[in-house]
Amino acid sequence: AVVSTQSTGESTTENGIRIEFTAKDKGVPALISNVMVVDIAIRTVPSKPKFQKPSYEFPVFADSSANTLVGQVSVLMQRSDAQFAFAETNDHFTIYPMSGVLVQKGAISGSEDVLEAKVKAVSTLDSSLYSTVDVSFNIIQSVWTPNPCQNGGV
């Protein structure tokens, strides 16, 4: 028997991914009298997210405007099965949950040289599986110097 197969659909279920194939016998005489649908359920096993680095450091300017891109934290996973959040409330930075991109909320006042935070990556398949990582934001204070050509300079 000569059999041809064709994928007729793919869907995600709570037990994994369901892929449907249709098989037809192209032989003469046809030994398979009906079209058959084969379901393959692949169970996705939740795993604890693991960050790509043991810690992250990002330089930031104290006088940056709102929504300035700072950097990105990421995990070692085949698919994007993790969502990101700060472990504690953060007044100076925002993290995008799906991508791990960090942005500055606005200017940072104060004399601190470093701000510390913890970022949490939580498995989207099982919220009891998560990891945290330390993130350091090294604050660069801007130093303004007047242009010598201004105020009567040459």
Side-chain angles (χ1 to χ4, degrees), residues 12 17 44-52 72-85 95-101 120-126 129:
T12 303
I17 299 171
T44 305
V45 180
S47 61
K48 182 177 179 178
K50 182 179 178 188
F51 284 93
Q52 287 186 347
Q72 182 178 20
V73 295
S74 53
V75 293
L76 298 168
M77 297 182 94
Q78 285 184 328
R79 298 180 316 183
S80 181
D81 286 341
Q83 286 194 351
F84 301 94
I95 189 165
Y96 287 92
M98 299 303 290
S99 64
V101 169
K120 190 176 188 179
V122 181
S123 169
T124 57
L125 301 173
D126 183 350
L129 299 173

